[in-house]
């Protein structure tokens, strides 16, 4: 009898393994998420589990290329999981082998808190609203207790508060009031800050400032259409919108020029895999460039691995505001579903994203990743002055954009990974959404730490600092990295080596050790990632990708600050460390550590551990290149009640990689040789060149411009 029971139990546990998607880097399917959570549940039988993370454990690099390039076996299909137990500190994490439906690694990690989830954020508001001490504080702020439904909070990561450390799963509740459900609450901040224990579901403490400020009596400043009509509507124009809204429509009559097989993209000589996970969001992997039949590797993996948004107000408890949004919330899990024609225009291919919910059930964000092309202006052009610029070639380019938008409480981060036909890889970030705001009294001097952006609304200074993780593979696995500084020639004007004082050149310093790679930006500095064994036959220089990044603010928090301790990568513009198969996922992914929430910043984790004594050799070997970039944001009234997108970017450009302009084979829009000009010809085969027949003159009606000059 007992034996029989065991057998039948065994039979239910060993259901069919889920079908793996075609590519080893493809994110887990919903069936794989479900299968993982079943396996995890039976592994921790008898425990009440809360699922936090179920995500692909990517194959290690060597296993991947053994399969991809050396006819080796397909790497094992693995799922990484993090679960918590109710009433229990710490996490259980591990790895499930999907084909065999078994847990192959598992450990209990204490003293850490798992990544926060959108449902954590939603719960905090309910907990705060019904707490009697919060209600009391609201009354002190001038909000009667019957109006608690109008009290809101933005649940924020606590960062780290030494009063509790990481012993409880905490959030800080930044408090606000709305006069109506449809208002934006950011014009009505409250002055106190409850701390909420997410496990217990209760408020554990309220930080109350010495100086009390009653909720502002000024009208809300909001931005939804109904508020625009209230603000600007007239009897002639009730909507209040500008009267210049002629549509700009994008037509791509023949569809797109990219092709996708599953998650593998082919576009204008680029070939790569597009992945997505809860934490980094979009991941571009195994990127190659087809150089006239020679498929050359560029990067094994490109992603945003961490970010920090430190605020600059010295008053307690505002020092706690320094969200590490990727490690604490997840750029993937906070990603928005995108809408056709609004978030991206034109002919769009979308990818969905799948996560786990708290019960281990798959949860899908539709249209999480948008893939599309845009016109990219002039790719190259030259005209000859000798015949009044009639001898000419003009070639327009296009670009491929892989994008996502994620919301971290009040802010939106729009991420655009952009490829150009000349081999350039660009990352553009647009910040929008709403400033984090705090109340100030009518007569208050808020000092230099913030800006009054609206009556009684103080928006604190802050930085948005990102860590770009590059796993380069420029023409092979062994790469080096260097600074490249533009310097004036040696010697004073009149000296033998610089007689006329005009000399300048590029001064390249190759990093030999990790310590050498901890560099600061300067206006005259770029960085090269290169393959020292692959020399360009013309320039004699190694095949490189140059990192051109000018949005590189210094980290303004000082040594000893929580910010600097918890983001051990943010103080340098670059860090290069050897690649190693270790850590969550694998291969040194997360520079603020694997579990970031409520980390004190002490001890050797993430980048601090990888840097170590700084003596690891990083020349001509398998390296990881981390780059810190972003902006410092001093708010202004223009950023309120919602910010117009603030744009910054960086570029990776091929240098000494090709032997000539790599996009000469992009068909010009228009071209005429000198002979054709002299003969009065319209140009060879002009009508089949890439002339855009939908373009027209603004103020005169013309039919298509082709063959007209
Ligand atoms: C262009 O877009 C506008 C706004 O979406 C739409 O109303 C209009 O029909 C479109 N026009 C054409 C010619 O497709
Ligand atoms: C992409 O291009 C490669 C050759 O460069 C080809 O083998 C592959 O089938 C193409 N994939 C798609 C989806 O078009
Ligand atoms: C993602 O969000 C869902 C829904 O709130 C949550 O249940 C899940 O645990 C989250 N996962 C991660 C890794 O943040
Ligand atoms: C690549 O680097 C490894 C270790 O750093 C070294 O053993 C190997 O010889 C290098 N290969 C080439 C082609 O330089
Ligand atoms: Cu900002």
């Amino acid at each position: 009898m007992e034996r029989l029971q065991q057998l039948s139990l065994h039979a239910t546990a060993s259901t069919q393994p889920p079908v793996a998607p075609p590519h080893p880097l493809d994110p887990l399917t919903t069936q794989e998420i479900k299968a993982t959570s079943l396996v995890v549940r039976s592994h921790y039988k008898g425990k009440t589990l809360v699922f936090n993370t179920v995500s692909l454990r990517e194959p290690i690099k060597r296993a991947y290329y053994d399969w991809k390039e050396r006819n080796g076996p397909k790497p094992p299909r693995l799922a990484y999981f993090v679960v918590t137990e109710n009433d229990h500190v710490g996490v259980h994490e591990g790895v499930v082998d999907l084909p065999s439906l078994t847990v192959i690694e598992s450990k209990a990690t204490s003293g850490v808190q798992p990544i926060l989830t959108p449902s954590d954020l939603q719960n905090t508001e309910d907990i705060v609203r019904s707490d009697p001490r919060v209600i009391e504080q609201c009354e002190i702020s001038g909000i009667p207790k019957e109006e608690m439904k109008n009290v809101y909070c933005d649940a924020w990561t606590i960062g780290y508060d030494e009063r509790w450390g990481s012993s409880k799963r905490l959030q800080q509740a930044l408090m606000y009031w709305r006069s109506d459900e449809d208002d934006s609450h950011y014009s009505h901040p409250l002055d106190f800050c409850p701390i909420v224990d997410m496990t217990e579901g209760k408020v554990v403490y309220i930080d109350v400032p010495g100086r009390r400020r009653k909720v502002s009596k000024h009208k809300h400043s909001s931005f939804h259409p109904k508020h625009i009509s209230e603000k600007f509507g007239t009897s002639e124009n009730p909507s209040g919108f500008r009267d210049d809204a002629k549509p700009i429509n994008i037509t791509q009559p023949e569809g797109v020029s990219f092709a996708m097989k599953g998650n593998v993209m082919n576009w204008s000589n680029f070939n790569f895999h597009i992945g997505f996970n809860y934490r980094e969001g979009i991941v571009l992997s195994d990127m190659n460039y087809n150089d006239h039949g020679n498929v050359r590797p560029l990067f094994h993996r490109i992603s945003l691995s961490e970010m920090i948004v430190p605020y600059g107000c010295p008053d307690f408890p505002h020092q706690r505001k320094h969200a590490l949004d990727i490690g604490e919330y997840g750029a993937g899990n906070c990603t928005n579903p995108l809408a056709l024609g609004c978030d991206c225009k034109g002919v769009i291919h979308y990818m969905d994203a799948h996560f786990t919910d708290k019960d281990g059930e798959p949860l899908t964000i539709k249209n999480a990743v948008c893939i599309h092309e845009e016109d990219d202006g002039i790719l190259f052009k030259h005209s000859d002055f000798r015949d009044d610029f009639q001898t000419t070639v003009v070639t327009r380019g296009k670009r491929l954009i892989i994008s996502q938008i994620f919301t971290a409480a009040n802010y939106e981060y729009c991420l655009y990974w952009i490829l150009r036909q000349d081999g350039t890889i660009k990352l553009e970030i647009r910040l929008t959404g709403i400033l984090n705001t705090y109340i100030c009294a009518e007569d208050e001097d808020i000092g230099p730490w913030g800006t009054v952006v609206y009556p009684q609304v103080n928006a604190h200074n802050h930085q948005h600092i990102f860590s770009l993780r590059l796993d380069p593979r420029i023409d092979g696995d062994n790469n080096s990295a260097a600074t490249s500084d533009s310097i004036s020639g040696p010697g004073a004007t009149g000296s033998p080596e610089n007689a006329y004082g005009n000399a300048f050149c590029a001064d390249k310093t190759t990093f030999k050790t990790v310590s050498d790679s901890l560099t600061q930006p300067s206006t005259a500095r770029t960085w090269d990632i290169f393959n020292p064994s692959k020399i360009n036959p013309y320039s004699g220089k190694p095949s490189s990708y140059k990192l051109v990044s000018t949005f590189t603010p210094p980290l303004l928090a000082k040594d000893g600050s929580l910010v600097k301790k918890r983001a051990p990568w943010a103080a340098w513009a670059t860090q290069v460390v050897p690649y190693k198969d270790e850590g969550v996922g694998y291969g040194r992914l997360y520079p603020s550590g694997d579990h970031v929430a409520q980390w004190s910043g002490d001890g050797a984790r993430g980048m601090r551990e990888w840097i170590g004594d700084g003596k690891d050799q990083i020349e001509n070997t398998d390296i990881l290149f981390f780059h810190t970039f972003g902006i410092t944001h001093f708010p202004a009234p223009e950023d309120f009640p919602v910010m117009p997108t603030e744009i910054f970017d960086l570029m990776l450009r091929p240098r000494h990689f090709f032997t000539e302009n790599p996009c000469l084979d992009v068909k010009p829009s228009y071209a005429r040789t000198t002979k054709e000009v002299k003969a009065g010809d319209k140009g060879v085969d002009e009508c089949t060149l890439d002339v855009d027949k939908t373009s027209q003159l603004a103020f005169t009606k013309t039919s298509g411009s082709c063959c007209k000059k």
Side-chain angles (χ1 to χ4, degrees), residues 178-191:
R178 292 185 196 174
S179 64
D180 176 273
E181 205 178 7
D182 282 350
D183 282 335
S184 167
H185 53 254
Y186 296 93
S187 24
H188 288 89
L190 306 182
D191 69 350

Side-chain angles (χ1 to χ4, degrees), residues 573-634:
T574 56
Q575 306 105 46
V576 182
V577 296
Y579 170 89
K580 288 215 173 110
D581 293 325
E582 65 185 22
V584 165
Y586 71 101
R588 298 184 155 179
L589 283 177
Y590 305 126
S592 277
D594 295 342
H595 301 288
V596 183
Q598 292 176 249
W599 174 42
S600 64
D602 294 323
R605 274 201 208 175
M607 188 55 74
R608 189 174 302 132
E609 182 190 349
W610 308 335
I611 290 173
D613 64 6
K615 293 193 179 127
D616 282 355
Q617 300 290 313
I618 50 165
E619 203 180 354
N620 191 26
T621 187
D622 193 355
I623 56 171
L624 297 173
F625 187 109
F626 287 82
H627 172 53
T628 308
F629 68 102
I631 56 157
T632 300
H633 189 171
F634 297 109

Side-chain angles (χ1 to χ4, degrees), residues 18-83:
V19 177
H23 195 279
L25 298 175
D26 287 348
L28 296 185
T29 63
T30 53
Q31 292 90 330
E32 288 177 316
I33 291 171
K34 204 163 164 109
T36 304
S37 62
L38 283 174
V39 172
V40 170
R41 265 197 201 291
S42 76
H43 184 81
Y44 295 102
K45 213 173 319 166
K47 297 188 155 114
T48 313
L49 298 184
V50 179
F51 280 81
N52 175 270
T53 303
V54 174
S55 191
L56 176 71
R57 155 76 66 106
E58 290 178 28
I60 61 170
K61 195 148 99 180
R62 196 177 344 96
Y64 176 76
Y65 288 108
D66 279 348
W67 166 77
K68 174 79 187 318
E69 295 177 351
R70 293 183 281 272
N71 275 318
K74 206 162 188 182
R77 185 76 181 160
L78 306 176
Y80 167 72
F81 66 85
V82 177
V83 293

Side-chain angles (χ1 to χ4, degrees), residues 259-261 264 266 271 290 295:
M260 288 195 77
K261 200 178 274 166
V264 178
N266 266 2
N271 177 279
N290 186 333
V295 175

